[in-house]
Amino acid sequence: MTEAYIYDALRTPRGKGRKDGALHEVTSLRLSALTLNAVKERNNLDGHAVEDVIWGNVTQVMEQGGCLARSAVLASDLDESIPGLAINRFCASGMEAVNLAANQVKGGAGEAYIAGGVEMMGRVAMGSDGAAIAVDPSLAMDSYFVPQGISADIIATEYGFSREEVDALAVESQRRAKAAWDDNRFAKSVITVRDQNGLAILDRDEYMRPGTDMQSLGALNPSFQMMGEQMPGFDKVALLKYPHLEKINHVHHAGNSSGIVDGAAAVLIGNKEFGEKYGLKPRARIKATAKIGTDPTIMLTGPVPVTEKILKDNGMSISDIDLFEVNEAFAAVVLRFMQAFDVDASKVNVNGGSIAMGHPLGATGAMIIGTVLDELERQDKEVGLATLCIASGMGAATIIERV
């Protein structure tokens, strides 16, 4: 089978995702086109160089609807002969775009792809597209639907994570993110977003709160306690599903959960012949990809079984992985991953994660692939694994290996 190589990985800075955020006036289309143009320019590509653009975005309505991938191609400097595919696997959409592109290359369906995603959460509200699992009683009741924040608190309750532990992980995420920016570790991957006059709009993640400490987090009330214990009473739904839990321990809040932000990311994937044609040196190969379905109520435990699956399918063990990127959807998700595999925390989310910098849903999966690649190069390590939990109970993972 043909090898699929990563030739480039880039992302925009993550904006606040609010009306006062730097990217609020930038549309999903424009940010996507800017990102595609950056891939083309950085790698001196012809406009027709890639087979397809595969673009993840979760809330596919309004400006993010109507096959945004194709719209982005037409708005970019790529040729109109390149089609576009918009995909949605919730929080793993950007990763699934990369994995799909890699497997297309491996199967001989084209020499190269640009894959990634976008989410402008400050412009297109999360959940505004509706979801059958949440609003159709015939499914919601049978699947014991609860919102993700309740799911995160179920994980904390089930696996014994205290408020102090989830807050400590959040403080560490902020510390690591600040250290990474101070050390210029994102210089290779972060592009500057400019306005139509060429003036910089945003050149660094603006969501970070580097002054975060245990005291400031301790002053925050749990975000999901009221919806759990009072109206609409999701704790009772959870306890019907998990009767061995006497009470849901609500420990998550805005400070130890992923931030609502804007952003886009792209990965350039191709075979050996593509790289030779454009004089590009591969940075890594996509060694393996995987996805899995999981319990839809606790919902966010997917990184554990999908990691077990990807390792087993490829004859690997957890000790074969040098660095991990586990999306910080909520603090308990990462704590559960480290608990399940007894992974050294110093190898996980080395430069902080979505708690500190934010989680632009459709882009994050591509972002963390680029982040782990940059860090493998910085530390001169070989193998990295990126994984995300996914709404309604799924998990996705990608293993990359430097070449």
Side-chain angles (χ1 to χ4, degrees):
M1 183 178 286
T2 303
E3 293 278 12
Y5 297 104
I6 295 176
Y7 286 97
D8 197 10
L10 57 84
R11 71 172 177 90
T12 68
R14 284 170 269 205
K16 286 181 180 178
R18 298 197 303 267
K19 288 186 177 181
D20 63 344
L23 298 182
H24 185 71
E25 299 304 319
V26 180
T27 65
S28 307
L29 174 64
R30 181 155 176 258
L31 198 67
S32 298
L34 288 171
T35 306
L36 296 179
N37 287 343
V39 175
K40 179 179 180 291
E41 293 163 9
R42 281 171 41 138
N43 297 281
N44 296 312
L45 302 179
D46 295 328
H48 58 272
V50 299
E51 182 77 14
D52 200 358
V53 169
I54 306 178
W55 213 237
N57 64 291
V58 174
T59 310
Q60 297 189 357
V61 294
M62 297 181 290
E63 68 181 54
Q64 291 185 170
C67 191
L68 179 59
R70 175 58 175 166
S71 298
V73 169
L74 295 175
S76 76
D77 295 332
L78 299 177
D79 289 357
E80 65 178 21
S81 60
I82 297 173
L85 172 64
I87 66 167
N88 180 5
R89 201 189 289 279
F90 295 123
C91 299
S93 297
M95 174 175 285
E96 190 61 35
V98 173
N99 291 354
L100 179 57
N103 290 324
Q104 292 279 80
V105 170
K106 288 181 179 183
E111 287 192 342
Y113 289 72
I114 298 174
V118 68
E119 207 78 33
M120 302 301 286
M121 301 180 75
R123 296 178 58 87
V124 183
M126 179 172 56
S128 58
D129 55 342
I133 195 169
V135 302
D136 187 330
S138 67
L139 177 60
M141 295 177 68
D142 288 347
S143 63
Y144 295 89
F145 169 80
V146 299
Q148 286 190 27
I150 300 292
S151 298
D153 286 338
I154 296 171
I155 293 173
T157 306
E158 176 70 34
Y159 296 102
F161 304 128
S162 67
R163 171 69 183 261
E164 289 73 22
E165 288 174 303
V166 292
D167 281 359
L169 186 139
V171 170
E172 181 64 7
S173 180
Q174 296 281 358
R175 187 196 70 77
R176 292 184 181 189
K178 181 180 185 303
W181 273 105
D182 290 348
D183 198 31
N184 213 26
R185 295 181 194 173
F186 299 126
K188 184 181 291 187
S189 56
V190 173
I191 61 173
T192 299
V193 179
R194 300 182 182 277
D195 66 16
Q196 303 205 4
N197 297 314
L199 299 176
I201 298 174
L202 188 64
D203 62 1
R204 63 187 289 120
D205 296 323
E206 67 174 343
Y207 181 81
M208 298 191 313
R209 297 177 174 86
T212 299
D213 56 23
M214 292 295 286
Q215 183 176 3
S216 62
L217 293 187
L220 299 177
N221 293 322
S223 294
F224 311 105
Q225 185 169 4
M226 184 171 293
M227 71 169 64
E229 296 179 353
Q230 299 179 31
M231 289 297 292
F234 283 112
D235 282 9
K236 291 184 179 179
V237 177
L239 294 174
L240 284 171
K241 181 74 174 284
Y242 314 111
H244 64 284
L245 301 177
E246 295 181 2
K247 184 179 185 297
I248 304 302
N249 184 23
H250 292 285
V251 298
H252 289 92
H253 49 72
N256 57 33
S257 307
S258 56
I260 294 174
V261 297
D262 307 319
V267 179
L268 176 61
I269 298 163
N271 61 18
K272 181 180 179 182
E273 290 74 21
F274 168 79
E276 291 173 346
K277 181 186 299 184
Y278 288 96
L280 302 175
K281 182 180 178 181
R283 296 172 62 189
R285 66 168 55 88
I286 305 283
K287 185 176 178 66
T289 68
K291 59 271 188 185
I292 201 168
T294 65
D295 180 340
T297 306
I298 199 168
M299 192 186 309
L300 307 173
T301 55
V304 173
V306 80
T307 296
E308 293 171 341
K309 182 178 189 294
I310 199 170
L311 294 175
K312 181 180 178 181
D313 288 350
N314 292 276
M316 301 175 69
S317 67
I318 202 74
S319 62
D320 293 323
I321 309 298
D322 296 311
L323 294 173
F324 301 85
E325 283 291 322
V326 183
N327 186 41
E328 293 176 353
F330 298 89
V333 173
V334 183
L335 291 172
R336 172 56 190 152
F337 183 90
M338 292 190 293
Q339 179 191 66
F341 295 106
D342 193 24
V343 175
D344 187 335
S346 67
K347 297 181 178 181
V348 180
N349 302 346
V350 173
N351 296 309
S354 292
I355 290 173
M357 294 175 284
H359 176 20
L361 306 177
T364 303
M367 285 184 173
I368 65 174
I369 290 172
T371 298
V372 76
L373 174 56
D374 284 348
E375 189 61 21
L376 287 171
E377 292 175 341
R378 190 181 76 86
Q379 293 193 28
D380 195 23
K381 303 289 187 181
E382 298 300 320
V383 181
L385 182 146
T387 183
L388 304 93
C389 60
I390 308 173
S392 75
M394 294 183 282
T398 305
I399 295 176
I400 65 171
E401 181 178 34
R402 286 179 61 206
V403 293

